[in-house]
């Protein structure tokens, strides 16, 4: 019953999290688009302080959008801020992190062959990393480094790769992946909360007082712009990380942190194409390079089959030995009615009750338990390298 309700809980939070994320990223994509499509307004609008004009049709109605150079003479009674989308994405993301990882199935997060963390220890390491990296980012963006966009981007990339490597040293693959995604998400929300919203507040304050914004307001605005640019480059990687977290071939990979770095680079680089295009520069080579790099990654990550000369191959592996192995290491979870308390139904829909069923999933089982040690989850049953090789040899002879 516990597992059943836990699944419902995580599904509902996940659903909310995705909706909040869509609302946030959707709004920011829309405003980037808006900024890039503003046209010069007619004179009578210019006299009102309007610097960009745009007309659109949507949902059966025609909209007129105007962007002010600074602001209207009088602030409207209702000004929409677009900040709760970001905050609710963070809050639901945190709830998910706790429900699925910290208090859910420990196998997703804790790998005792890496570090035998208690729940409290895992929360301390996870939350410490989120807050720590966010503080480093905050220190950097207030430093002179922020004046050089490219150098800042490079430093940020190196920091994130280091975080990714470190997370893979302490957490199981899936837990490591989600923490890198959460670090990026936290930086993005902090950008809104600690930079963009305060800059907007300062601007609105100045307009309300009827003052021209001073140097301080201008500095805040400039930094807010940089933060918003970073968020823009981080959107594609963060979404990729969040969804790739459901594909063991990524986080179960022996060099998962490097896979993550490659994906981060490729997706952020691809974003660059769209950003340039918005500025009227079309550079298809960026997309071509991204596609070639992706093909390279697909090739590099392809699971390799062990060569026939391996020791376990010399002798035939008996069905009886494999039946016993699967019973010990897999069937607690992968059965029609799992005995493991965390599962209500066979995880990933894979039941391994019979050798026939094992054969049906040859490639996946090979990938999960032989090529990587992603399965058994968290290796709670203590499956050895010899047993993995034996399983690999059996799967090959069963083909
Ligand atoms: C403690 C429970 C548990 C044990 C034991 C376990 N698994 Fe799993 N297995 C899972 C869960 C949970 C998933 C879903 C993983 C996910 O969504 O990331 C899964 C997923 C899988 C998948 C699908 C991976 C994919 O490609 O999506 C395969 C294959 C698999 N397990 C094989 C095995 C084999 C073989 C064993 C025994 C050697 C085993 N598992 C032992 C819990 C377990």
């Amino acid at each position: 019953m516990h597992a059943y309700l836990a699944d419902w809980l995580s599904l509902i939070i996940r659903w909310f999290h995705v909706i909040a994320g869509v609302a946030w990223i959707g709004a920011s994509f829309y405003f980037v688009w808006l900024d890039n499509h503003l046209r010069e307004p007619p004179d009578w609008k210019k006299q009102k302080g309007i610097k960009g004009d745009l007309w659109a049709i949507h949902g059966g109605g025609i909209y007129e959008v105007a962007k002010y150079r600074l602001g209207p003479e009088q602030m409207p009674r209702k000004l929409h801020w677009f900040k709760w989308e970001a905050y609710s994405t963070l809050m639901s993301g945190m709830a998910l992190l706790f429900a699925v990882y910290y208090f859910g199935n420990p196998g997703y997060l804790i790998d005792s062959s890496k570090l035998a963390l208690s729940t409290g220890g895992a929360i301390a390491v996870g939350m410490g990393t989120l807050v720590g990296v966010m503080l480093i980012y905050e220190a950097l963006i207030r430093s002179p480094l922020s004046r050089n966009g490219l150098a800042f981007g490079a430093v940020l990339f190196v920091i994130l790769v280091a975080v990714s490597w470190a997370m893979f040293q302490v957490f199981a693959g899936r837990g490591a992946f989600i923490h890198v995604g959460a670090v990026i998400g936290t930086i993005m929300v902090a950008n809104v909360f600690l930079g963009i919203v305060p800059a907007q507040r300062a601007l609105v304050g100045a307009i309300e007082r009827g003052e021209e914004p001073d140097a301080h307001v201008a500095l805040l605005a400039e930094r807010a712009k940089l933060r918003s640019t970073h968020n823009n480059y981080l959107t594609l990687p963060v979404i990729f990380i969040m969804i790739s977290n459901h594909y063991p071939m990524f986080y179960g990979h022996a060099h998962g942190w490097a896979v993550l770095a490659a994906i981060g680079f490729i997706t952020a680089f691809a974003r660059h194409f769209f950003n340039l295009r918005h500025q009227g520069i079309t550079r298809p080579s960026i997309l071509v390079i991204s596609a070639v790099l992706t093909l390279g990654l697909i090739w590099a990550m392809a699971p390799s089959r062990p060569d026939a000369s391996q020791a376990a191959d010399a002798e035939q592996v008996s069905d009886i030995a494999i039946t016993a192995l699967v019973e010990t290491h897999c069937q607690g979870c992968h059965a029609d009615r799992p005995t493991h308390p965390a599962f209500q139904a066979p995880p990933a829909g894979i039941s391994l009750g019979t050798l026939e069923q094992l054969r049906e999933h040859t490639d996946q089982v090979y990938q999960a338990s032989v090529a990587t040690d992603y399965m058994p989850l968290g290796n709670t049953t203590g499956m050895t390298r010899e047993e993995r090789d034996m399983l690999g040899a059996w799967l090959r002879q069963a083909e």
Side-chain angles (χ1 to χ4, degrees), residues 108 174 248 251 329-330 333-334 343 347 350 364 369 374-376:
Y108 290 145
R174 189 168 160 179
Y251 58 81
H329 295 294
C330 317
C333 303
H334 293 282
F343 300 100
I350 296 179
Q364 277 172 298
S369 301
Y374 175 50
M375 286 291 142

Side-chain angles (χ1 to χ4, degrees), residues 50-81:
I50 292 171
K51 74 164 187 185
D53 198 20
L54 182 135
W55 292 78
I57 184 163
H58 192 263
I62 293 183
Y63 295 76
E64 179 185 10
V65 182
K67 181 173 182 177
Y68 282 79
R69 193 177 60 78
L70 277 175
E73 267 170 35
Q74 227 187 344
M75 281 316 266
R77 251 191 306 153
K78 178 86 197 119
L79 188 63
H80 298 280
W81 282 75

Side-chain angles (χ1 to χ4, degrees), residues 22-322:
V22 167
W24 178 19
I25 303 219
S28 55
F29 276 9
Y30 173 68
F31 279 99
V32 169
W33 179 90
L34 205 59
D35 255 342
N36 292 315
H37 289 83
L38 291 171
R39 295 281 171 274
E40 195 172 330
D43 277 343
W44 67 271
K45 283 190 183 175
K46 276 191 198 157
Q47 277 156 19
K48 287 173 68 185
I50 292 171
K51 74 164 187 185
D53 198 20
L54 182 135
W55 292 78
I57 184 163
H58 192 263
I62 293 183
Y63 295 76
E64 179 185 10
V65 182
K67 181 173 182 177
Y68 282 79
R69 193 177 60 78
L70 277 175
E73 267 170 35
Q74 227 187 344
M75 281 316 266
R77 251 191 306 153
K78 178 86 197 119
L79 188 63
H80 298 280
W81 282 75
F82 294 94
K83 56 184 181 186
W84 280 102
E85 291 83 352
Y87 302 163
S88 56
T89 306
L90 178 77
M91 288 186 292
S92 53
M94 285 296 159
L96 205 51
L97 192 57
F98 274 81
V100 177
Y101 292 89
Y102 298 145
F103 294 120
N105 187 339
Y108 290 145
L109 182 63
I110 293 163
D111 179 345
S112 45
S113 71
K114 290 180 177 174
L115 196 62
L117 285 164
S118 63
T119 299
I123 295 177
V125 173
M127 289 293 125
T129 306
L130 256 54
V131 175
V133 180
M134 189 266 283
L135 291 177
I136 294 175
Y137 177 88
E138 284 302 316
L140 286 178
I141 202 145
R142 290 173 163 82
S143 78
L145 186 64
S146 70
R147 279 189 226 116
N148 185 336
L150 195 63
F152 196 108
V155 170
L156 186 58
F157 181 73
V158 171
I159 291 176
L160 291 176
V161 173
V163 169
S164 163
W165 181 83
M167 291 293 96
F168 268 86
Q169 309 310 306
V170 293
F171 289 139
R174 189 168 160 179
F177 243 62
I178 203 68
H179 275 88
V180 178
V183 160
I184 298 179
T186 306
I187 289 178
M188 291 173 70
V189 176
N191 270 332
V192 175
F193 185 67
L194 299 174
I196 298 170
V197 166
Q200 290 176 172
R201 207 166 272 141
L203 175 67
V204 169
I207 294 171
E208 274 173 348
R209 288 190 302 274
E211 296 166 1
E212 272 283 312
D214 58 15
H216 178 64
V217 176
L219 177 72
L220 287 182
E222 199 180 306
R223 279 210 194 119
K225 178 82 200 125
L226 184 66
R227 288 175 183 271
S228 154
T229 306
H230 290 163
N231 277 7
N232 175 292
Y233 278 101
L234 292 172
T235 42
L236 297 192
V238 83
I239 293 176
F240 196 101
I241 295 172
M242 293 305 176
I243 56 178
S244 61
N245 208 37
H246 298 272
Y247 294 80
M249 66 175 182
F250 288 105
Y251 58 81
H253 195 275
H255 304 290
W257 66 272
V259 170
L260 203 51
I263 290 167
F265 180 81
I266 295 171
T267 47
F269 191 50
R271 187 79 191 104
H272 191 52
F273 169 82
F274 295 100
N275 287 341
L276 284 182
R277 207 171 71 142
H278 289 321
Q279 295 165 21
I281 306 166
T282 303
R283 206 170 283 163
S285 59
I286 295 182
L287 285 189
V288 174
I289 294 171
S290 299
V292 170
L293 289 176
T294 306
L295 289 176
L297 184 64
I298 294 173
W299 175 80
M301 282 175 65
S304 56
R305 299 228 141 184
D307 50 63
S309 64
Q310 273 193 358
D313 220 22
E315 57 206 75
Q316 286 275 316
V317 180
S318 75
D319 287 358
I320 298 168
I322 289 302

Side-chain angles (χ1 to χ4, degrees), residues 1-13 99-100 103-105 337-338 340-346:
M1 200 59 191
H2 168 259
Y4 173 70
L5 292 180
D7 272 357
W8 265 106
L9 182 69
S10 81
L11 179 58
I12 290 171
I13 305 176
V100 177
F103 294 120
N105 187 339
R337 295 201 150 270
H340 193 292
F343 300 100
Q344 190 73 13

